[in-house]
Amino acid sequence: MSNWFRITLVIGVAYLHPALAADIDPHSLSLDQLREVGRKQSRFLTEQSTRPTDPKESLEANLSDYQKFIAPVLQKHCLACHGPKQSEGRLRVDKLNPDLLTGDDVERWREIYNVLSNSEMPPDYEPDYALADTDRGRFVDWLSNEIDKAAQVRRNTSRHSSFRRMTKYEYDYALQDLLGLPFSMAARLPPETASEDGFKNSSNMLQMSAMQFETYREIGLKALQRATVIGERPQPVTYVISMQEEMERALSEPKTKVFHQNDANSRSNRNRQHLFNRATGKSIHFSDTKTLPRTDAVADESSDVSPVVLVLPRSKELKINLDRFLPDDGIMRVRIRAGRTTSNDTEYAALRLGFSAHTSNNANFSNVISERDILVTASADQPEFIHFDIPLSDIQRNPFRKLDRPFPRRDEFLHIRNISNARGGKTPLHVVIDRIEVIAPFYEQWPPKSHTDIFFPSDHAADETAYGREVLSRFTRRVWRRPVTTAEVDRLMTLFEEYRPQFDNFEEAMLEVLATVLAAPEFLYLTSTSSAEPSEKTHSINDWELASRLSFFLWSSIPDDELLSVAAQGTLSQPTVLTAQVDRMLADPRSRRFFEHFTQQWLSLDGLNSATHITDADLKNAMREEPIAFFEHVLKNDRSAMDFLHADYVVVNERLARHYRIPNVFGPHFRQVPVMAQSKRGGILTGAGVLAMNSDGQDSHPLKRGVWMLERVLHDPPPPPPPNVPEVDLTDPEILKMTLKERIANHRNQAACVSCHSRIDPWGIVFENYDAMGAYRTRIKDQPVDATSELFNKQELAGMDGLKRYLLMDRQDQFARAIVHKLTSYALGRPLSFSDHTALEDITKQFRRRGDRLRPLIDLIVQNELFRKTPE
């Protein structure tokens, strides 16, 4: 029988007879085939909606079916372990109120629903209480309908507030987008604490004190002052480093040693940075220089390319002493005309900036100041300028630079470093540089655009009152993300009139008022409910509120002019318009914030910050970036979210590919790379970052990995440990002989620990083939790795392959519900409650029916009433 025929037959049987799917040997199928089999078993894809159509009927508990069908099942199969004689998990099924609409036991019923639908109860090791498929199906159907009705009733009587302040990162992005300054300005604010779901934008965590308002005003005023200018254009400090001049200066020194490219020792010399005259073949070693500002120097885009270049090999850097003349504030633009010596597309070279000071023998610092490395792509014969913009007030400076005396040392150093994967050979890849310019403060234009966006040209500019109203109306509408009333502008102008006598000019006084606008709750807080008491009614949020909610979901920031314009037209809430705006926003570079922050918070990637055993900074950055790049790839390429559980590809860069022992991946950028099954990679479960952060720094950690698996992937968090948990005695010689897995097994055998560990450990043990760095292994201390485990329902898992097979075969619906829950909670900026159950089930059903694709899921969320409505 051909493999294709087998899989077609299996899928057909599973689709027509789901009960027979249990007889399928999952080991005879590939993971991709299992995905299709498991999908056909989804209740979201097979069941018909049984929700009552009569609104009145939907509000009545179905107690007759409970007495007729459900109570006997509980009596026969559950009472022995969860009754008056024994109440495991502190659950008494004979005491549960079957009326989920008004009773107090709805959360307990939801727990029962979860274990029944996942076939965890009754346990397989109790054959006397085994539950027939027909009884299980009827029980699950009854519970599903009752939970659905209960959620509708409770939603109508519950208050759901997304009223919250911005997070630190949202506030920072909002200032950047509003003022046109692409630099962080919120460093003073403390980081947020994550909610139980792991999200930092959750409304129950984001409150504010009166003192914080003053801090926000100070930050806002400083940001406004950076965005605007007062008076004449400042004279910049300009440095120009010409390699031709540097060589002429060096050759004038009698002790300078010259070598030629055809010298016998040229091979060793060329791997040291040096100046090279391409016309004469002369070279001299050159590693650092000192330069002073030049009053006659100007940035020159069209200057002729010099025959003399600095040759910068891999990992080498030029150190430039700029003395002490850089200004305190403003942007320092560093322009470097550079090219690469070879065009091999498997090699790359990039430039990175550093900044240092050496005030004395025992006092110095050196920091990377460029936000990212910039690739050198031009040829050596036709070099091109690349530039870095560095905010001087945001980097560490020499504190003694303004002293009159020469000691402590006052000078500051700029470092230009070649970051490359060049591998040497006869013609190694080097970066060649012929000209460097440093200008500070740098302005593209005068006044800068960030200034004219606030203080724009106007016919009323000479009339401070009329012009002030124009400035305030335009600025406040954008900041508060809604129309501004005349009365509100009047109050702000009154404040301006109070400030005006204290300042020499209009702009400085107006900045104080604009800082107040930025410190107002209308800016700092997001959509709120409109009453403080629960109500039986909900209302749709208006288009202005919808624009704000949408922009903070997908951009972590305020709406742009186009989104506000659509809101002003009153058409944003139209489904086709809303979908078009989502498409536009996801295509915008600002959507990178969504990919980054949702993925980091969903998977708790902040744990990598504490992973001190990862000493390679490039590898650690690649580990952190991989799941973000993977999420972006799945969304932008319209792929199934089941790729998170398993994929036949990875999304990696060269550094991470080398860690995974995947050949022929070159360059720092992340891209899709196909992998075979023997690579033991694919999906988020085998990502090195996730595995490394869930280790103890020395080895794997089944407990950490199991908890992470339950909380982040399956949204089934284990209960908190009891207060009387005994510590593992690490002074016991017998304990020290054990592997980590053996220690956990020994710990689990203690009575106080078994209830939690029986649920957690099996999920973590299957990761044992991956060490503390996430590298795959088959042996530990010369012993074969034991990555087999048995779940609470007696399901056996054989390592990562077994875990993936089980998830794809039996837990697709659970994972689909989990990803819907996580993304919806993040989108709303609030925890989800039982009363949201119906909407979440509806979204999950449509998500599954649209192929589990992330892009349609975003539409399903923003079009749903959860996103579009708020209680009155």
Side-chain angles (χ1 to χ4, degrees):
M1 181 185 297
S2 72
N3 202 40
W4 174 250
F5 180 77
R6 179 188 293 115
I7 186 59
T8 304
L9 178 62
V10 168
I11 291 175
V13 169
Y15 183 74
L16 296 173
H17 303 285
L20 298 181
D23 297 328
I24 298 171
D25 178 12
H27 296 91
S28 66
L29 304 176
S30 71
L31 290 171
D32 290 331
Q33 291 167 341
L34 275 177
R35 178 195 287 196
E36 294 305 315
V37 174
R39 179 172 173 77
K40 295 299 183 183
Q41 297 183 81
S42 169
R43 72 174 181 84
F44 291 109
L45 299 173
T46 57
E47 72 177 13
Q48 299 296 317
S49 176
T50 56
R51 183 184 299 176
T53 56
D54 184 350
K56 294 182 179 179
E57 185 181 356
S58 70
L59 300 179
E60 297 176 1
N62 185 359
L63 300 181
S64 61
D65 277 2
Y66 172 81
Q67 296 296 337
K68 186 176 181 180
F69 301 113
I70 307 306
V73 170
L74 290 172
Q75 177 73 27
K76 180 179 179 180
H77 299 277
C78 307
L79 198 63
C81 296
H82 302 284
K85 294 183 179 180
Q86 185 177 357
S87 56
E88 291 189 7
R90 298 187 295 277
L91 172 63
R92 292 267 311 261
V93 296
D94 57 321
K95 295 292 187 180
L96 291 178
N97 186 342
D99 186 346
L100 276 69
L101 279 66
T102 60
D104 296 329
D105 297 324
V106 65
E107 289 297 336
R108 295 301 254 171
W109 281 115
R110 189 157 63 161
E111 292 174 11
I112 293 172
Y113 172 82
N114 289 336
V115 297
L116 282 175
S117 60
N118 291 332
S119 298
E120 292 182 352
M121 287 291 177
D124 290 347
Y125 56 81
E126 297 284 3
D128 294 341
Y129 305 112
L131 194 60
D133 288 338
T134 53
D135 288 338
R136 185 184 300 274
R138 179 174 288 166
F139 201 155
V140 168
D141 286 344
W142 178 81
L143 260 180
S144 176
N145 290 332
E146 295 305 290
I147 289 174
D148 185 61
K149 290 185 289 186
Q152 294 181 63
V153 169
R154 291 165 193 263
R155 179 161 179 78
N156 289 335
T157 57
S158 300
R159 184 170 182 259
H160 303 268
S161 175
S162 293
F163 182 50
R164 65 174 180 89
R165 65 168 171 84
M166 298 180 195
T167 64
K168 175 181 178 178
Y169 65 84
E170 288 170 336
Y171 176 75
D172 206 357
Y173 290 142
L175 285 182
Q176 292 178 37
D177 293 347
L178 178 68
L179 302 178
L181 298 177
F183 311 110
S184 176
M185 289 172 276
R188 289 178 55 192
L189 296 176
E192 278 75 29
T193 301
S195 67
E196 289 185 4
D197 266 354
F199 295 119
K200 298 179 180 180
N201 68 344
S202 187
S203 58
N204 62 344
M205 309 297 292
L206 295 173
Q207 311 306 320
M208 190 185 297
S209 67
M211 185 176 297
Q212 283 177 292
F213 274 109
E214 184 60 31
T215 301
Y216 279 105
R217 191 184 185 285
E218 292 173 2
I219 294 173
L221 179 59
K222 183 177 180 180
L224 286 163
Q225 290 169 342
R226 292 180 65 173
T228 56
V229 292
I230 306 295
E232 298 297 322
R233 182 171 188 161
Q235 181 66 37
V237 175
T238 304
Y239 301 84
V240 175
I241 299 94
S242 163
M243 298 309 159
Q244 182 160 345
E245 293 177 4
E246 293 293 333
M247 193 164 197
E248 291 171 356
R249 185 181 301 115
L251 290 175
S252 67
E253 298 290 333
K255 295 183 180 181
T256 299
K257 294 183 179 180
V258 178
F259 66 92
H260 290 77
Q261 294 299 307
N262 55 359
D263 286 350
N265 63 346
S266 64
R267 188 177 182 87
S268 61
N269 283 324
R270 73 184 182 191
N271 290 323
R272 297 172 60 184
Q273 62 213 63
H274 59 276
L275 294 176
F276 171 49
N277 189 324
R278 291 178 289 189
T280 65
K282 288 183 178 181
S283 299
I284 59 172
H285 294 138
F286 185 75
S287 59
D288 56 72
T289 186
K290 180 171 183 177
T291 185
L292 295 173
R294 293 166 53 165
T295 56
D296 61 332
V298 293
D300 189 355
E301 190 77 33
S302 60
S303 61
D304 292 337
V305 176
S306 167
V308 179
V309 294
L310 167 68
V311 179
L312 203 59
R314 171 187 175 179
S315 300
K316 303 299 183 181
E317 69 177 27
L318 173 66
K319 182 179 179 181
I320 306 170
N321 187 340
L322 300 177
D323 208 291
R324 63 191 186 280
F325 300 108
L326 286 174
D328 295 342
D329 300 302
I331 299 301
M332 174 177 68
R333 170 160 289 193
V334 180
R335 301 175 73 242
I336 305 166
R337 187 158 58 191
R340 48 182 290 160
T341 57
T342 68
S343 58
N344 185 343
D345 59 8
T346 67
E347 296 182 327
Y348 73 89
L351 296 182
R352 176 183 296 173
L353 293 191
F355 201 78
S356 70
H358 310 273
T359 58
S360 67
N361 290 338
N362 299 317
N364 60 77
F365 68 84
S366 180
N367 298 316
V368 174
I369 59 172
S370 49
E371 185 177 357
R372 61 184 178 88
D373 302 336
I374 298 182
L375 289 173
V376 178
T377 58
S379 69
D381 293 332
Q382 296 180 308
E384 296 178 353
F385 276 105
I386 60 177
H387 72 264
F388 299 85
D389 286 340
I390 310 298
L392 287 170
S393 59
D394 293 348
I395 65 174
Q396 186 175 2
R397 303 291 301 276
N398 187 336
F400 304 110
R401 64 188 183 275
K402 295 183 180 180
L403 293 180
D404 293 331
R405 60 183 184 275
F407 187 84
R409 290 181 60 179
R410 301 167 293 174
D411 39 4
E412 298 176 318
F413 299 85
L414 178 69
H415 302 253
I416 301 174
R417 189 173 185 84
N418 177 7
I419 305 299
S420 174
N421 68 343
R423 291 175 291 280
K426 292 185 65 176
T427 55
L429 170 60
H430 293 158
V431 171
V432 295
I433 299 170
D434 82 307
R435 184 180 177 90
I436 300 167
E437 299 169 356
V438 180
I439 308 105
F442 173 82
Y443 295 99
E444 292 274 7
Q445 65 183 53
W446 187 265
K449 185 176 183 300
S450 58
H451 178 96
T452 56
D453 282 346
I454 297 174
F455 298 115
F456 47 87
S458 170
D459 293 338
H460 303 106
D463 184 338
E464 289 192 358
T465 300
Y467 185 49
R469 296 187 69 88
E470 287 184 335
V471 169
L472 284 169
S473 297
R474 180 188 290 192
F475 185 83
T476 306
R477 176 184 180 273
R478 178 80 193 283
V479 173
W480 290 356
R481 310 181 289 282
R482 61 167 175 79
V484 185
T485 66
T486 301
E488 288 170 330
V489 176
D490 289 343
R491 287 195 293 271
L492 292 171
M493 281 303 298
T494 300
L495 185 61
F496 169 75
E497 290 166 2
E498 294 177 6
Y499 278 121
R500 185 63 182 91
Q502 305 173 37
F503 295 92
D504 293 334
N505 55 62
F506 167 85
E507 288 84 1
E508 288 180 314
M510 182 56 70
L511 290 184
E512 296 288 337
V513 183
L514 299 183
T516 301
V517 173
L518 286 174
E522 286 84 352
F523 174 61
L524 298 175
Y525 278 81
L526 309 187
T527 307
S528 67
T529 57
S530 57
S531 70
E533 298 299 328
S535 169
E536 294 186 359
K537 298 181 180 180
T538 62
H539 79 280
S540 296
I541 59 177
N542 63 43
D543 277 24
W544 296 96
E545 294 169 320
L546 180 59
S548 190
R549 183 171 284 185
L550 189 64
S551 67
F552 277 94
F553 174 25
L554 298 180
W555 285 348
S556 300
S557 182
I558 59 176
D560 65 354
D561 288 336
E562 178 171 339
L563 199 55
L564 290 177
S565 177
V566 175
Q569 296 168 21
T571 59
L572 182 59
S573 56
Q574 296 175 9
T576 55
V577 176
L578 186 55
T579 295
Q581 285 299 312
V582 171
D583 284 337
R584 180 183 71 87
M585 295 176 72
L586 288 174
D588 189 283
R590 282 168 286 189
S591 63
R592 161 71 190 187
R593 303 166 183 173
F594 163 55
F595 306 139
E596 178 180 342
H597 289 285
F598 171 72
T599 307
Q600 284 181 342
Q601 294 171 46
W602 167 38
L603 300 179
S604 193
L605 297 180
D606 280 356
L608 272 172
N609 297 336
S610 303
T612 56
H613 63 290
I614 310 173
T615 57
D616 183 329
D618 289 336
L619 176 59
K620 192 170 188 177
N621 290 335
M623 287 179 174
R624 181 181 286 107
E625 178 63 25
E626 181 191 14
I628 300 168
F630 194 93
F631 181 89
E632 181 177 1
H633 174 83
V634 171
L635 191 150
K636 287 192 170 181
N637 290 277
D638 207 28
R639 296 192 61 93
S640 166
M642 295 302 151
D643 282 11
F644 294 132
L645 299 181
H646 170 70
D648 58 4
Y649 64 91
V650 291
V651 180
V652 294
N653 67 354
E654 179 178 342
R655 182 64 190 89
L656 196 59
R658 189 163 72 249
H659 185 65
Y660 291 160
R661 299 180 181 178
I662 299 173
N664 302 321
V665 177
F666 305 104
H669 62 287
F670 280 76
R671 84 300 304 262
Q672 177 183 347
V673 178
V675 291
M676 304 297 289
Q678 52 265 37
S679 74
K680 306 301 180 182
R681 301 292 172 181
I684 60 173
L685 305 181
T686 56
V690 164
L691 295 163
M693 73 183 188
N694 289 310
S695 73
D696 66 357
Q698 300 295 323
D699 203 346
S700 62
H701 200 299
L703 184 60
K704 284 185 178 181
R705 290 174 176 179
V707 170
W708 178 87
M709 179 74 194
L710 289 168
E711 289 182 342
R712 303 301 166 195
V713 179
L714 296 177
H715 189 57
D716 186 18
N724 58 340
V725 175
E727 295 286 340
V728 176
D729 184 6
L730 294 179
T731 63
D732 186 336
E734 296 303 315
I735 294 291
L736 292 175
K737 293 178 184 177
M738 298 179 183
T739 66
L740 188 56
K741 180 182 176 183
E742 290 169 341
R743 291 180 194 175
I744 290 177
N746 180 72
H747 182 68
R748 182 172 64 238
N749 289 334
Q750 303 181 54
C753 310
V754 65
S755 60
C756 290
H757 282 275
S758 61
R759 282 196 60 203
I760 299 170
D761 294 353
W763 293 105
I765 289 170
V766 294
F767 290 88
E768 277 295 275
N769 281 111
Y770 299 89
D771 67 13
M773 291 291 288
Y776 187 80
R777 63 189 176 180
T778 58
R779 302 185 71 82
I780 301 177
K781 296 181 179 179
D782 294 327
Q783 297 295 319
V785 172
D786 179 9
T788 58
S789 68
E790 186 178 79
L791 296 179
F792 190 75
N793 63 356
K794 295 301 175 180
Q795 171 69 44
E796 293 184 356
L797 303 179
M800 180 55 63
D801 185 76
L803 172 63
K804 288 184 175 183
R805 288 178 178 276
Y806 178 58
L807 293 175
L808 294 172
M809 184 73 174
D810 296 300
R811 293 292 186 101
Q812 285 194 31
D813 279 353
Q814 184 178 0
F815 176 67
R817 281 198 302 268
I819 194 71
V820 167
H821 183 106
K822 298 290 188 182
L823 192 55
T824 304
S825 179
Y826 178 86
L828 294 177
R830 67 169 175 84
L832 301 181
S833 64
F834 173 77
S835 57
D836 300 313
H837 171 83
T838 302
L840 292 175
E841 289 289 289
D842 287 344
I843 293 173
T844 306
K845 180 179 294 184
Q846 294 303 316
F847 172 53
R848 296 241 62 191
R849 292 182 176 182
R850 297 190 189 187
D852 305 312
R853 292 173 295 132
L854 289 181
R855 176 62 190 87
L857 176 56
I858 292 175
D859 273 338
L860 290 169
I861 292 171
V862 302
Q863 302 280 3
N864 191 272
E865 65 174 9
L866 285 180
F867 197 83
R868 305 279 295 276
K869 291 188 176 182
T870 190
E872 292 182 343

